[in-house]
Short mmCIF file of all heavy atoms in Angstrom, two decimals:
data_model
loop_
_atom_site.label_atom_id
_atom_site.label_comp_id
_atom_site.label_asym_id
_atom_site.label_seq_id
_atom_site.Cartn_x
_atom_site.Cartn_y
_atom_site.Cartn_z
N SER A 4 -146.71 -29.22 35.42
CA SER A 4 -147.67 -29.39 36.44
C SER A 4 -147.27 -30.16 37.63
O SER A 4 -147.73 -29.98 38.72
CB SER A 4 -149.01 -29.95 35.81
OG SER A 4 -148.71 -31.31 35.39
N GLY A 5 -146.36 -31.18 37.40
CA GLY A 5 -145.88 -31.96 38.48
C GLY A 5 -144.96 -31.05 39.42
O GLY A 5 -145.04 -31.17 40.60
N LYS A 6 -144.22 -30.10 38.85
CA LYS A 6 -143.49 -29.21 39.72
C LYS A 6 -144.42 -28.30 40.55
O LYS A 6 -144.20 -28.04 41.73
CB LYS A 6 -142.59 -28.26 38.87
CG LYS A 6 -141.53 -28.88 38.17
CD LYS A 6 -140.65 -27.90 37.34
CE LYS A 6 -139.49 -28.63 36.59
NZ LYS A 6 -138.86 -27.64 35.80
N HIS A 7 -145.58 -27.90 39.98
CA HIS A 7 -146.44 -27.03 40.65
C HIS A 7 -147.17 -27.85 41.82
O HIS A 7 -147.40 -27.28 42.91
CB HIS A 7 -147.51 -26.46 39.70
CG HIS A 7 -146.89 -25.59 38.62
ND1 HIS A 7 -146.15 -24.48 38.91
CD2 HIS A 7 -146.83 -25.72 37.30
CE1 HIS A 7 -145.65 -24.01 37.80
NE2 HIS A 7 -146.06 -24.71 36.80
N LEU A 8 -147.45 -29.15 41.55
CA LEU A 8 -148.13 -29.88 42.62
C LEU A 8 -147.07 -30.03 43.73
O LEU A 8 -147.43 -30.05 44.90
CB LEU A 8 -148.56 -31.22 42.10
CG LEU A 8 -149.79 -31.15 41.20
CD1 LEU A 8 -150.02 -32.53 40.53
CD2 LEU A 8 -150.98 -30.81 42.02
N LEU A 9 -145.86 -30.36 43.38
CA LEU A 9 -144.76 -30.50 44.36
C LEU A 9 -144.60 -29.21 45.24
O LEU A 9 -144.51 -29.23 46.44
CB LEU A 9 -143.45 -30.84 43.69
CG LEU A 9 -142.28 -31.13 44.64
CD1 LEU A 9 -142.67 -32.34 45.62
CD2 LEU A 9 -141.14 -31.41 43.82
N LEU A 10 -144.73 -28.01 44.60
CA LEU A 10 -144.59 -26.73 45.28
C LEU A 10 -145.79 -26.59 46.20
O LEU A 10 -145.61 -26.25 47.33
CB LEU A 10 -144.57 -25.59 44.31
CG LEU A 10 -144.75 -24.18 44.86
CD1 LEU A 10 -143.53 -23.87 45.77
CD2 LEU A 10 -144.84 -23.14 43.72
N ALA A 11 -146.98 -26.94 45.78
CA ALA A 11 -148.16 -26.84 46.64
C ALA A 11 -148.09 -27.73 47.79
O ALA A 11 -148.43 -27.40 48.84
CB ALA A 11 -149.49 -27.11 45.76
N ALA A 12 -147.54 -28.99 47.62
CA ALA A 12 -147.46 -29.83 48.74
C ALA A 12 -146.38 -29.30 49.69
O ALA A 12 -146.54 -29.46 50.95
CB ALA A 12 -147.05 -31.22 48.20
N ALA A 13 -145.22 -28.83 49.21
CA ALA A 13 -144.29 -28.27 50.15
C ALA A 13 -144.68 -27.17 50.94
O ALA A 13 -144.48 -27.02 52.12
CB ALA A 13 -142.98 -27.86 49.26
N LEU A 14 -145.54 -26.24 50.36
CA LEU A 14 -146.09 -25.12 51.02
C LEU A 14 -147.08 -25.57 52.10
O LEU A 14 -147.16 -25.12 53.13
CB LEU A 14 -146.75 -24.11 50.07
CG LEU A 14 -145.88 -23.39 49.08
CD1 LEU A 14 -146.64 -22.60 48.12
CD2 LEU A 14 -145.02 -22.44 49.92
N ALA A 15 -147.86 -26.60 51.83
CA ALA A 15 -148.80 -27.19 52.73
C ALA A 15 -148.18 -27.74 54.01
O ALA A 15 -148.50 -27.59 55.05
CB ALA A 15 -149.67 -28.21 52.01
N VAL A 16 -147.01 -28.46 53.71
CA VAL A 16 -146.23 -29.06 54.77
C VAL A 16 -145.63 -27.90 55.66
O VAL A 16 -145.55 -28.07 56.93
CB VAL A 16 -145.14 -30.02 54.24
CG1 VAL A 16 -144.15 -30.41 55.36
CG2 VAL A 16 -145.76 -31.25 53.63
N ALA A 17 -145.31 -26.78 55.07
CA ALA A 17 -144.70 -25.72 55.76
C ALA A 17 -145.77 -24.96 56.52
O ALA A 17 -145.49 -24.05 57.29
CB ALA A 17 -144.02 -24.72 54.79
N GLY A 18 -146.98 -25.31 56.53
CA GLY A 18 -147.98 -24.68 57.30
C GLY A 18 -148.71 -23.52 56.55
O GLY A 18 -149.39 -22.80 57.19
N VAL A 19 -148.50 -23.44 55.25
CA VAL A 19 -149.14 -22.34 54.52
C VAL A 19 -150.45 -22.84 53.96
O VAL A 19 -150.56 -24.01 53.41
CB VAL A 19 -148.22 -21.97 53.35
CG1 VAL A 19 -148.90 -20.85 52.47
CG2 VAL A 19 -146.86 -21.44 53.94
N GLY A 20 -151.50 -22.11 54.13
CA GLY A 20 -152.83 -22.54 53.48
C GLY A 20 -152.70 -22.46 52.07
O GLY A 20 -152.36 -21.48 51.49
#
Side-chain angles (χ1 to χ4, degrees):
S4 62
K6 288 181 184 177
H7 300 298
L8 285 172
L9 185 59
L10 171 63
L14 290 171
V16 169
V19 175

